[in-house]
Amino acid sequence: MTKIRNSKRYNLVLGIETSCDETAAAVTSEGHTILSNVVWSQVTIHHPYGGVVPELASRKHMEKIVPVVETALAMAGVDANSIDGVAVTCGPGLVGALLVGVSFAKAFAYARGLPLTGVNHVHGHIAAIYLQPDPPPFPFVALLASGGHTNLYYVTEPMEFEHMGQTRDDAAGEAFDKVAKVLGLGYPGGQIIDELSQKGDPEQIHFPRVFLDKTGFDFSFSGIKTAVARYVSAEKEKMSEFPDIAAAFQEAVVDVLVQKGISAARAKACEHLALVGGVASNRRLRELMTKAADEAGIAVHIPGPELCTDNAAMIATMGYHQLSEGKNAPLDLDVYSKTKHSGRLGVVR
Ligand code: KG4
Ligand code: ZN
């Protein structure tokens, strides 16, 4: 592919993210400095239902998108007219929710004659690492663990992703959410289990680690959720054991993520590993990945917790790279619910 680098500079990029249950807007400068990063979480809206209700999510995004963008511009201290480009998440995610952000972004860009670019949410999570003071040099291996994805990529350039592996069933974050539900701890589960695990002993119970093919890079997390559910139904009365169950479950998931992440970096003879996505905010995962990477002579890069979970700064940063490479979106930019991988190299959208 011939690359024509755009001669125009995109200093200030407005990022917009509405793929799930966070209404988020951010302004970044030069693709690496955050001027503002506003996230309006809908957690309390969806909490009573034990998960995200798509229709409610879309409605809340409609209500919040304008004030959230206004706040992001004000906090960045920039006028809407000084923005150089607009980046918006166009998938994967909830279609109704995505449409709110994409429609807003189109109108904002069109009204000001600004270039628009549609960002894949997964690429956005990886781009969060460019917002760190010491980002990894290319190439690096990226392990993305979120509520919707558990993927491994070999990233050779900001827009070149070689897909190495993915979960065959539940995503790592999904396993956290489902286990929290089994334990009656509420939604979203990741942070609650992270907290509860602090009081538990991970050695008291052993849950299975599923590595599938030892040399491959696919994951499977549905079995562990079933194992926890079985354990809980057999030991119903022992509420006092919940911190141990949480800690043992967390340890099992973390163990698999750490081992696969390190072996993926080794397989590529790569000295840099980025750990991104909502689950990357997990304290135990951060601790054990750092330790294992140190032992393996690999530099691990993890964004701050607020840049691991959904935000718009990561979208603005990915958008900055796309705009710089001339990947502008037409005004009929559409949304999509799932990413399609095209072969091993690159992602279709
Ligand atoms: O990246 P993200 O904000 O949204 C998606 O793109 O899915 O990730 C959300 C997921 C949820 O499943 C949530 O339970 C999990 O990340 N998560 C955590 C933690 N914080 C969020 N999982 C484990 N430990 C945490 N501290
Ligand atoms: Zn996400």
Side-chain angles (χ1 to χ4, degrees), residues 10 27 41 52 61 92 101 147 173 184 193 197 213 258 261 311 318 344:
Y10 296 93
V27 180
S41 169
V52 179
H61 286 311
I193 289 192
S197 298
D213 170 8
V258 169
N311 66 87
M318 191 59 214
R344 277 170 57 76

mmCIF file of all heavy atoms in Angstrom, residues 10 27 41 52 61 92 101 147 173 184 193 197 213 258 261 311 318 344:
data_model
loop_
_atom_site.group_PDB
_atom_site.id
_atom_site.type_symbol
_atom_site.label_atom_id
_atom_site.label_comp_id
_atom_site.label_asym_id
_atom_site.label_seq_id
_atom_site.Cartn_x
_atom_site.Cartn_y
_atom_site.Cartn_z
ATOM 1 N N TYR A 10 -2.601 18.154 11.982
ATOM 2 C CA TYR A 10 -3.822 18.059 12.788
ATOM 3 C C TYR A 10 -3.438 18.233 14.247
ATOM 4 O O TYR A 10 -3.280 17.257 14.965
ATOM 5 C CB TYR A 10 -4.527 16.721 12.527
ATOM 6 C CG TYR A 10 -4.998 16.626 11.105
ATOM 7 C CD1 TYR A 10 -4.210 16.045 10.129
ATOM 8 C CD2 TYR A 10 -6.204 17.197 10.735
ATOM 9 C CE1 TYR A 10 -4.612 16.017 8.810
ATOM 10 C CE2 TYR A 10 -6.620 17.167 9.415
ATOM 11 C CZ TYR A 10 -5.825 16.583 8.466
ATOM 12 O OH TYR A 10 -6.228 16.563 7.168
ATOM 13 N N VAL A 27 -10.159 16.362 23.842
ATOM 14 C CA VAL A 27 -9.342 17.098 22.870
ATOM 15 C C VAL A 27 -7.888 16.709 23.120
ATOM 16 O O VAL A 27 -7.416 16.753 24.264
ATOM 17 C CB VAL A 27 -9.519 18.631 23.015
ATOM 18 C CG1 VAL A 27 -8.646 19.361 21.990
ATOM 19 C CG2 VAL A 27 -10.978 19.031 22.850
ATOM 20 N N SER A 41 -20.264 8.579 32.694
ATOM 21 C CA SER A 41 -20.580 7.155 32.798
ATOM 22 C C SER A 41 -22.071 6.934 33.054
ATOM 23 O O SER A 41 -22.686 7.628 33.864
ATOM 24 C CB SER A 41 -19.756 6.545 33.924
ATOM 25 O OG SER A 41 -20.247 5.254 34.183
ATOM 26 N N VAL A 52 -25.777 -3.572 30.402
ATOM 27 C CA VAL A 52 -26.131 -2.397 29.589
ATOM 28 C C VAL A 52 -27.425 -2.660 28.805
ATOM 29 O O VAL A 52 -27.539 -3.660 28.103
ATOM 30 C CB VAL A 52 -24.985 -2.042 28.612
ATOM 31 C CG1 VAL A 52 -25.354 -0.849 27.742
ATOM 32 C CG2 VAL A 52 -23.713 -1.766 29.388
ATOM 33 N N HIS A 61 -27.028 8.844 25.684
ATOM 34 C CA HIS A 61 -26.026 9.492 24.829
ATOM 35 C C HIS A 61 -26.629 10.737 24.176
ATOM 36 O O HIS A 61 -25.992 11.784 24.103
ATOM 37 C CB HIS A 61 -25.540 8.536 23.730
ATOM 38 C CG HIS A 61 -24.622 7.453 24.216
ATOM 39 N ND1 HIS A 61 -23.536 7.702 25.026
ATOM 40 C CD2 HIS A 61 -24.629 6.104 23.997
ATOM 41 C CE1 HIS A 61 -22.912 6.553 25.277
ATOM 42 N NE2 HIS A 61 -23.558 5.584 24.679
ATOM 43 N N PRO A 92 -16.398 -1.390 16.774
ATOM 44 C CA PRO A 92 -17.604 -2.160 17.067
ATOM 45 C C PRO A 92 -18.277 -1.642 18.336
ATOM 46 O O PRO A 92 -17.629 -0.986 19.145
ATOM 47 C CB PRO A 92 -17.058 -3.585 17.275
ATOM 48 C CG PRO A 92 -15.630 -3.402 17.662
ATOM 49 C CD PRO A 92 -15.162 -2.108 17.063
ATOM 50 N N GLY A 101 -23.059 9.237 18.549
ATOM 51 C CA GLY A 101 -21.753 9.897 18.426
ATOM 52 C C GLY A 101 -21.413 10.218 16.980
ATOM 53 O O GLY A 101 -20.929 11.313 16.670
ATOM 54 N N GLY A 147 -14.301 -5.564 27.879
ATOM 55 C CA GLY A 147 -15.570 -6.261 28.090
ATOM 56 C C GLY A 147 -16.026 -6.981 26.825
ATOM 57 O O GLY A 147 -16.757 -7.964 26.887
ATOM 58 N N GLY A 173 -13.031 -9.340 30.261
ATOM 59 C CA GLY A 173 -13.886 -8.449 31.057
ATOM 60 C C GLY A 173 -15.288 -9.023 31.232
ATOM 61 O O GLY A 173 -15.915 -8.858 32.286
ATOM 62 N N GLY A 184 -23.465 -12.321 42.874
ATOM 63 C CA GLY A 184 -24.455 -11.335 43.313
ATOM 64 C C GLY A 184 -23.826 -10.012 43.717
ATOM 65 O O GLY A 184 -24.318 -9.304 44.601
ATOM 66 N N ILE A 193 -14.733 -6.973 41.619
ATOM 67 C CA ILE A 193 -13.931 -8.178 41.892
ATOM 68 C C ILE A 193 -12.499 -7.792 42.244
ATOM 69 O O ILE A 193 -11.886 -8.366 43.150
ATOM 70 C CB ILE A 193 -14.006 -9.158 40.708
ATOM 71 C CG1 ILE A 193 -15.412 -9.755 40.689
ATOM 72 C CG2 ILE A 193 -12.921 -10.238 40.790
ATOM 73 C CD1 ILE A 193 -15.631 -10.923 39.791
ATOM 74 N N SER A 197 -11.105 -8.876 45.811
ATOM 75 C CA SER A 197 -9.954 -9.787 45.788
ATOM 76 C C SER A 197 -8.850 -9.350 46.744
ATOM 77 O O SER A 197 -8.057 -10.178 47.215
ATOM 78 C CB SER A 197 -9.358 -9.868 44.386
ATOM 79 O OG SER A 197 -10.301 -10.369 43.503
ATOM 80 N N ASP A 213 -4.364 -24.275 22.800
ATOM 81 C CA ASP A 213 -3.099 -24.698 22.222
ATOM 82 C C ASP A 213 -1.984 -23.881 22.885
ATOM 83 O O ASP A 213 -1.972 -22.652 22.782
ATOM 84 C CB ASP A 213 -3.181 -24.405 20.709
ATOM 85 C CG ASP A 213 -1.844 -24.580 20.014
ATOM 86 O OD1 ASP A 213 -0.902 -25.067 20.664
ATOM 87 O OD2 ASP A 213 -1.769 -24.223 18.833
ATOM 88 N N VAL A 258 -1.298 -13.044 31.399
ATOM 89 C CA VAL A 258 0.142 -12.778 31.549
ATOM 90 C C VAL A 258 0.939 -13.753 30.678
ATOM 91 O O VAL A 258 1.801 -13.341 29.887
ATOM 92 C CB VAL A 258 0.572 -12.862 33.027
ATOM 93 C CG1 VAL A 258 2.092 -12.867 33.160
ATOM 94 C CG2 VAL A 258 -0.023 -11.695 33.827
ATOM 95 N N GLY A 261 0.364 -13.115 26.902
ATOM 96 C CA GLY A 261 0.943 -11.821 26.507
ATOM 97 C C GLY A 261 2.448 -11.919 26.355
ATOM 98 O O GLY A 261 3.020 -11.509 25.338
ATOM 99 N N ASN A 311 -12.797 5.782 26.842
ATOM 100 C CA ASN A 311 -12.600 7.237 26.905
ATOM 101 C C ASN A 311 -12.465 7.750 25.478
ATOM 102 O O ASN A 311 -12.335 6.964 24.538
ATOM 103 C CB ASN A 311 -11.345 7.554 27.735
ATOM 104 C CG ASN A 311 -10.080 7.054 27.064
ATOM 105 O OD1 ASN A 311 -9.488 7.735 26.242
ATOM 106 N ND2 ASN A 311 -9.664 5.813 27.357
ATOM 107 N N MET A 318 -6.012 8.033 18.005
ATOM 108 C CA MET A 318 -6.054 7.155 16.822
ATOM 109 C C MET A 318 -6.497 7.976 15.618
ATOM 110 O O MET A 318 -5.967 7.829 14.514
ATOM 111 C CB MET A 318 -7.015 5.984 17.089
ATOM 112 C CG MET A 318 -6.934 4.880 16.059
ATOM 113 S SD MET A 318 -5.271 4.173 15.970
ATOM 114 C CE MET A 318 -5.176 3.772 14.231
ATOM 115 N N ARG A 344 -4.503 -12.009 7.949
ATOM 116 C CA ARG A 344 -3.685 -11.820 9.135
ATOM 117 C C ARG A 344 -3.254 -10.372 9.323
ATOM 118 O O ARG A 344 -3.013 -9.926 10.420
ATOM 119 C CB ARG A 344 -2.451 -12.718 9.047
ATOM 120 C CG ARG A 344 -2.729 -14.133 9.506
ATOM 121 C CD ARG A 344 -1.575 -15.042 9.183
ATOM 122 N NE ARG A 344 -0.317 -14.575 9.767
ATOM 123 C CZ ARG A 344 -0.010 -14.707 11.043
ATOM 124 N NH1 ARG A 344 -0.871 -15.235 11.882
ATOM 125 N NH2 ARG A 344 1.145 -14.299 11.496
#
